[in-house]
Amino acid sequence: MLNRWKYQGDRLMAQFGVKALYEDRLGGQVDFNPDTDRNKGVHYGFGSVTRRYEFFSKTAQLFPEKPYKGLGLIINALVHDNTSYFGFKNYNGKEQSFYANLIYQNIIDNTNHQYKAGLSYLLDDYNEKYIDSTFKRTESVPGVFGEYTFTVPEKFTLVLGSRVDFHNLYGTRFTPRAHVKYDLSNDWHLRASAGKGWRMPNAIAENFGMLINSRQLSVPEAIRPEESWNYGISLTNDFMIFGKKGTFLLDYYRTDFQNQLIVDMENADYVRFYNLKGRSYSNSFQAEVNYSPLDRMDVKLAYRL
């Protein structure tokens, strides 16, 4: 269920809404009856009930005489509750989350120099129980961020951004990012990006499918945040053949992990979760051609490595 309201005025724009989800899943052997067979071992069964409630709002102060200027507030709050069983194994997980983001944008001298700055706050409370193990944590993360955009119209765009988060469990985190776009001509465009990212994984919830097998879970050490540096470059060409438009793209991206959650299934008796030991990286390359030879017909040819 989703219900959303929206207001649009000359100087104020706002929307807010509520979302609710109830989901009941049942699986296992065909003859499994959850009312009579659960925990009996007669037939294998799986069940999962999810209840999720969410509130969101976006409010913006507008300046009609200065359309490049604005002040916005985003708020999101949710409760996500899951109760599941996998044969004899039971899982209960609950997340309560609150997020707020205040953004101000304006220009420096002219619209070729734009900036955004703001404050954010995230509160996440996790409580998971699997068989006889309990995993709890509460994250409180205030942060500040800024972004500067330099534009040479129809030629060059540079976006520099960064944020600093003050995490109650994992200390101060600095994440920079840069994007560049250069128009080599009217038809050729070059883009590049580089930056850092991090997040705290939820080992069990993100690997739900692992619980359905007979392996035991093993978490031999405290899980740390995942961190990575990522880089990318992209070349795009717009062309015309027989009066029809087409696009040619070349993409290359690389991610280098400083830490990563490893899900190790090499042991037949255990699924082990632990932090990265050694190197972890990914390289991705793609070449792609899109063309519309006829009206209402699109053709794509791609190669990916």
Side-chain angles (χ1 to χ4, degrees):
M1 186 276 293
L2 165 65
N3 202 348
R4 180 167 54 202
W5 297 265
K6 187 173 183 179
Y7 169 78
Q8 177 73 56
D10 292 335
R11 295 186 174 274
L12 181 68
M13 181 178 68
Q15 62 172 303
F16 61 95
V18 291
K19 297 165 70 174
L21 167 72
Y22 176 81
E23 180 187 75
D24 190 349
R25 293 193 179 201
L26 181 66
Q29 291 179 272
V30 174
D31 293 331
F32 175 72
N33 185 329
D35 297 326
T36 60
D37 297 343
R38 185 177 174 185
N39 294 325
K40 299 290 180 58
V42 179
H43 300 100
Y44 182 84
F46 155 77
S48 179
V49 175
T50 299
R51 298 174 178 85
R52 182 183 176 96
Y53 311 99
E54 186 173 353
F55 168 82
F56 61 90
S57 72
K58 299 179 181 180
T59 307
Q61 182 180 357
L62 309 176
F63 301 86
E65 67 283 0
K66 298 178 180 179
Y68 48 79
K69 184 178 179 181
L71 179 66
L73 176 64
I74 298 171
I75 294 176
N76 195 83
L78 67 87
V79 176
H80 186 103
D81 195 353
N82 177 269
T83 302
S84 302
Y85 60 88
F86 308 81
F88 291 112
K89 299 184 291 188
N90 296 304
Y91 169 84
N92 293 284
K94 187 173 185 179
E95 176 191 5
Q96 299 179 89
S97 179
F98 173 80
Y99 173 75
N101 195 4
L102 181 67
I103 310 171
Y104 175 74
Q105 67 176 34
N106 207 338
I107 63 173
I108 303 172
D109 191 34
N110 59 55
T111 53
N112 292 341
H113 303 272
Q114 303 181 45
Y115 70 90
K116 297 179 182 178
L119 306 170
S120 66
Y121 180 69
L122 173 67
L123 178 65
D124 259 336
D125 182 75
Y126 296 96
N127 190 338
E128 294 179 290
K129 185 175 182 180
Y130 177 65
I131 308 180
D132 57 355
S133 299
T134 300
F135 305 91
K136 293 182 179 181
R137 78 175 190 274
T138 299
E139 299 183 40
S140 177
V141 194
V144 296
F145 61 89
E147 181 181 282
Y148 167 72
T149 303
F150 171 66
T151 305
V152 178
E154 300 180 3
K155 193 64 178 177
F156 179 79
T157 302
L158 171 67
V159 180
L160 298 174
S162 66
R163 61 175 297 119
V164 179
D165 292 298
F166 306 95
H167 203 290
N168 64 316
L169 301 178
Y170 307 110
T172 302
R173 299 271 168 171
F174 175 64
T175 48
R177 187 144 202 90
H179 297 266
V180 177
K181 179 189 176 188
Y182 182 65
D183 296 327
L184 302 172
S185 67
N186 290 333
D187 300 324
W188 288 91
H189 311 282
L190 180 66
R191 295 175 174 85
S193 63
K196 188 177 184 182
W198 73 277
R199 72 176 198 113
M200 187 61 201
N202 293 297
I204 298 180
E206 293 171 17
N207 296 278
F208 219 48
M210 303 291 184
L211 306 183
I212 210 161
N213 59 44
S214 61
R215 289 180 172 94
Q216 299 181 49
L217 293 190
S218 173
V219 188
E221 60 185 0
I223 301 300
R224 303 196 312 271
E226 293 187 320
E227 286 188 77
S228 69
W229 286 94
N230 47 81
Y231 323 90
I233 189 168
S234 175
L235 181 65
T236 306
N237 172 237
D238 299 317
F239 60 85
M240 300 286 289
I241 296 180
F242 304 119
K244 301 295 184 179
K245 184 179 178 181
T247 305
F248 170 69
L249 301 97
L250 285 175
D251 289 326
Y252 172 75
Y253 293 97
R254 178 178 174 88
T255 300
D256 283 306
F257 282 93
Q258 278 65 60
N259 187 49
Q260 187 178 15
L261 173 66
I262 304 300
V263 182
D264 187 343
M265 297 183 65
E266 296 301 316
N267 188 300
D269 298 321
Y270 292 93
V271 176
R272 298 175 64 231
F273 297 119
Y274 53 83
N275 299 301
L276 174 66
K277 294 172 176 60
R279 299 178 62 202
S280 178
Y281 63 87
S282 70
N283 295 304
S284 177
F285 169 78
Q286 181 162 312
E288 180 179 312
V289 177
N290 297 284
Y291 182 59
S292 299
L294 302 171
D295 292 341
R296 301 192 299 269
M297 180 180 181
D298 297 320
V299 178
K300 174 189 286 189
L301 177 66
Y303 170 79
R304 183 171 184 180
L305 176 66

